[in-house]
């Protein structure tokens, strides 16, 4: 597992939305914008499954995902890749569900997507585009 640096954690905190990329077992890609996303620690990201269809199906078939971090305030761009676990019970799921429901009862918080960070890449343009950072 990779651990995010303080600079990467700052970028994560400043991102306005978190595009989540997945692929089916046959390699059919999907990307969807996520807002209910938390950096739990240096190695773990939580994503609330409120309305996932294709993303959830892809992660059930192929438990890997990537999150793109960029925005006007991030001062850079990174792609975080990781291994996925889908939780529908337990203390972590209940914590996520309570946090989501505190925002609004309209969000179903169907499952918790726990991403264990394995790699981080630069996606900023220029000479280092695509370089592995972690």
């Amino acid at each position: 597992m990779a651990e995010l640096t303080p600079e990467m954690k700052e970028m994560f905190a400043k991102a306005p939305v978190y595009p989540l990329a997945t692929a089916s077992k046959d390699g059919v890609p999907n990307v969807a914008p996520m807002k209910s996303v938390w950096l739990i620690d240096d190695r773990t990201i939580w994503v609330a499954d409120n309305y996932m269809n294709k993303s959830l199906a892809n992660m059930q078939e192929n438990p890997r995902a990537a999150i793109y971090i960029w925005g006007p305030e991030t001062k850079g761009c990174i792609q975080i890749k990781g291994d996925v676990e889908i939780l529908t019970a337990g203390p972590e799921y209940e914590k996520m569900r309570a946090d989501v429901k505190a925002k609004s009862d309209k969000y179903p918080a169907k499952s918790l997507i726990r991403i264990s960070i394995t790699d981080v890449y630069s996606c900023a343009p220029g000479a280092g585009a695509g370089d592995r950072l972690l």
Side-chain angles (χ1 to χ4, degrees), residues 22-31 54 58 61-62:
T22 62
S24 70
K25 67 179 177 184
D26 297 325
V28 177
N30 186 64
V31 66
K54 289 179 281 194
N58 284 352
E61 292 180 3
N62 177 11

Side-chain angles (χ1 to χ4, degrees), residues 2-16 18 37-45 67-71 73-80 117 120-121 133-134:
E3 291 189 19
L4 298 184
T5 66
E7 295 81 16
M8 291 171 181
K9 291 189 286 188
E10 184 176 340
M11 290 173 71
F12 193 98
K14 292 181 177 181
Y18 303 88
V37 178
W38 302 267
L39 182 60
I40 299 304
D41 58 38
D42 296 348
R43 299 177 303 258
T44 311
I45 298 169
I67 292 182
Y68 179 79
I69 306 296
W70 179 85
E73 303 295 322
T74 62
K75 298 181 181 162
C77 175
I78 57 174
Q79 179 192 77
I80 301 171
I117 299 168
V120 179
Y121 294 86
L133 304 173
L134 297 175

Side-chain angles (χ1 to χ4, degrees), residues 76-122:
C77 175
I78 57 174
Q79 179 192 77
I80 301 171
K81 295 184 181 188
D83 295 321
V84 168
E85 291 180 77
I86 302 166
L87 305 173
T88 56
E92 292 176 314
Y93 167 76
E94 294 300 333
K95 167 91 172 88
M96 174 280 301
R97 187 169 172 75
D99 289 350
V100 169
K101 292 294 187 180
K103 292 179 186 179
S104 174
D105 274 336
K106 73 179 182 178
Y107 301 120
K110 298 180 294 184
S111 59
L112 167 61
I113 308 305
R114 182 173 57 200
I115 301 172
S116 298
I117 299 168
T118 58
D119 308 279
V120 179
Y121 294 86
S122 172

